[in-house]
Amino acid sequence: MKILVVGGGGREHALCWALAASPLCDELYCAPGNAGIAEEATCLEIAADDVDALVKAASDKAVDLVVVGPEAPLVAGLVDALEAAGIRAFGPSKAAAELEGSKAFAKYLCDQHGIPTAAFQRFTDPAEAKAYVASQPLPIVVKADGLAAGKGVTVCQSHAEAERAIEEALVDKRFGAAGDSVIVEECLTGQEVSAFALVDGDTALMLPCAQDHKAAYDGDTGPNTGGMGAYSPTPLVDEATAEVIQSTILQPTVDAMKAEGRPFKGLLYAGLMMTPDGPKVLEYNVRFGDPECQVLMMRLMSDLLPALLAACDGVLDSFDMRWFAETAVSVVLAARGYPGSYEKGEAIGGLEALKELDDVIAFHAGTKADGDGTVRSNGGRVLTMTALGGSIEEARQRAYTAIDQIDWPGGFCRRDIGWHALGKLTIETED
Ligand code: AMP
Ligand code: GLY
């Protein structure tokens, strides 16, 4: 088969790595890809959100399956355009991608279909939003409705902070049209878990859960990022909890989308807060997480390609996937300054030697190779060092040992990835 992966981050490198290993995969393309992906796939110089050019390339190359990595092209309708051209695509339609594209739609869906989530109200009028906030306990959460590159959510510790967040979205238009309405919601407490399912419109086939680290710096401090590290499995989700997540959140969401006339196909990612009252939805994403995808692909024992095809073809009810029981840890190496402004074009050394290591892969994110083969930084998140180990300690140690072999003074990483799980394990042992 000929496969085209859309995107160019660590997530897409992990997907390309898994797909390239499939005996069913004859030719692999990636648009736009990166320096690491170029070792697995033929990279095409097409932006991930250039819907027309992607459909043309898939059609010209007679691609059998397009796998869409990031949310922007999904929300823009790439899958609809591909299917209209007769090309099979893994990912939700534009209507189903609203689950990530509009927080108001996600909240409506939960509300209508009894899916546990934080209590909320939606506003377009700043005065009404502020009056509501004044009547609510603190902290309180203000969210811009649309896609805001992870910057649209403020957990507010004071009413004044909440009023500012409302003004920024509704009056100053800081997020453009994505902030035409805001959601004001109850602040949930607990630890966060990323839950995933492959979905074929009817069936949610649950994958292992993972934990992400969204804050930029150690100890969960600093600004929010796309994710600085992840691990899977997580001690927060045992088999019984996974069953609760599947039966109260993942499958009900798929049923609800079908009932709403927007059947969901692709990868459903529910960002959950594990509250004392059980797991509740913080947000939905309509694609694999990054860097959660890297840890999942490292743990995947089965062939990825038939699983994605089963989701496209509506036969997931008779499908199963196998996973290594080991723990995978992924640590993001980012350019100093990320998630704010940062340098690009810096040489990154030490990558060749890592290829010799077992159980560690340097999945590339923002990288670009020079004509002479030098790998240079080309984005905020640059490498996602992903390791498998018999325990979280072992996987962490492998990932950090590999990171320490990278020669790139302009990079930084969190040193505490997996820390929550280790803290939790210590408490359990003491009990
Ligand atoms: P979201 O993009 O909706 O996942 O929000 C980004 C981050 O904001 C989440 O990962 C949480 O850390 C935090 N957050 C969002 N909603 C809530 C909430 N209702 N209560 C507490 N924290 C929240
Ligand atoms: N790591 C969080 C995300 O992919 O949205």
Side-chain angles (χ1 to χ4, degrees), residues 245-293:
I245 293 171
Q246 166 70 4
S247 62
T248 66
I249 291 169
L250 296 173
Q251 189 61 50
T253 302
V254 173
D255 295 342
M257 290 298 282
K258 192 176 174 191
E260 293 286 331
R262 307 180 190 221
F264 190 97
K265 166 174 69 72
L267 193 287
L268 176 66
Y269 163 170
L272 306 178
M273 187 72 90
M274 308 305 281
T275 77
D277 302 327
K280 294 191 180 181
V281 175
L282 285 175
E283 64 163 345
Y284 289 110
N285 297 307
V286 297
R287 35 82 192 168
F288 280 102
D290 187 345
E292 293 98 319
C293 183

Side-chain angles (χ1 to χ4, degrees), residues 103 107 118-119 141 143 150 152-155 185-189 192 214 224 271 273 281-285:
K103 290 187 187 293
K107 297 301 290 191
V141 184
K143 301 183 173 186
V153 176
T154 317
V155 180
E185 74 177 30
E186 168 199 15
C187 187
L188 301 176
T189 51
E192 288 180 43
K214 285 204 170 131
N224 233 7
M273 187 72 90
V281 175
L282 285 175
E283 64 163 345
Y284 289 110
N285 297 307

Side-chain angles (χ1 to χ4, degrees), residues 84-389:
I87 300 161
R88 187 150 60 170
F90 176 81
S93 65
K94 180 178 173 134
E98 279 261 295
L99 203 51
E100 177 165 359
S102 165
K103 290 187 187 293
F105 173 68
K107 297 301 290 191
Y108 156 86
L109 192 87
C110 291
D111 197 38
Q112 286 292 304
H113 298 270
I115 299 164
T117 190
F120 74 101
Q121 295 277 336
R122 174 170 176 261
F123 298 96
T124 51
D125 179 70
E128 283 176 26
K130 288 184 198 173
Y132 175 73
V133 157
S135 71
Q136 294 298 306
L138 294 168
I140 188 140
V141 184
V142 177
K143 301 183 173 186
D145 175 38
L147 290 183
K151 300 193 179 85
V153 176
T154 317
V155 180
C156 308
Q157 302 300 334
S158 69
H159 288 121
E161 194 184 350
E163 288 189 8
R164 259 197 317 277
I166 290 165
E167 293 238 334
E168 275 184 4
L170 292 180
V171 182
D172 305 343
K173 298 281 169 208
R174 182 176 162 211
F175 310 110
D180 283 348
S181 68
V182 294
I183 305 290
V184 179
E185 74 177 30
E186 168 199 15
C187 187
L188 301 176
T189 51
Q191 289 214 59
E192 288 180 43
V193 162
S194 306
F196 307 96
L198 274 183
V199 182
D200 66 359
D202 287 298
T203 300
L205 176 66
M206 190 176 180
L207 314 185
C209 291
Q211 258 178 295
D212 190 14
H213 300 64
K214 285 204 170 131
Y217 312 132
D218 283 8
D220 285 337
T221 58
N224 233 7
T225 70
M228 292 300 290
Y231 57 90
S232 171
T234 157
L236 288 178
V237 183
D238 58 15
E239 231 173 271
T241 311
E243 178 49 38
V244 171
I245 293 171
Q246 166 70 4
S247 62
T248 66
I249 291 169
L250 296 173
Q251 189 61 50
T253 302
V254 173
D255 295 342
M257 290 298 282
K258 192 176 174 191
E260 293 286 331
R262 307 180 190 221
F264 190 97
K265 166 174 69 72
L267 193 287
L268 176 66
Y269 163 170
L272 306 178
M273 187 72 90
M274 308 305 281
T275 77
D277 302 327
K280 294 191 180 181
V281 175
L282 285 175
E283 64 163 345
Y284 289 110
N285 297 307
V286 297
R287 35 82 192 168
F288 280 102
D290 187 345
E292 293 98 319
C293 183
Q294 290 85 314
V295 292
L296 290 184
M297 290 307 113
M298 202 75 170
R299 290 191 59 207
L300 180 61
M301 191 191 295
S302 313
D303 187 342
L304 177 66
L305 183 47
L308 302 186
L309 292 169
C312 293
D313 297 346
V315 296
L316 278 179
D317 57 342
S318 60
F319 204 85
D320 206 5
M321 294 172 88
R322 296 192 62 205
W323 303 88
F324 292 113
E326 279 93 340
T327 297
V329 170
S330 186
V331 180
V332 172
L333 204 52
R336 275 184 208 287
Y338 172 79
S341 57
Y342 49 80
E343 297 291 324
K344 286 187 183 178
E346 296 177 343
I348 299 168
L351 283 163
E352 274 306 310
L354 292 182
K355 291 181 185 160
E356 305 301 318
L357 293 182
D358 284 337
D359 293 329
V360 180
I361 301 183
F363 289 122
H364 289 222
T367 64
K368 201 172 178 174
D370 273 353
D372 67 1
T374 307
V375 173
R376 293 187 182 275
S377 63
N378 192 38
R381 293 191 292 177
V382 172
L383 294 174
T384 54
M385 197 65 77
T386 309
L388 198 62

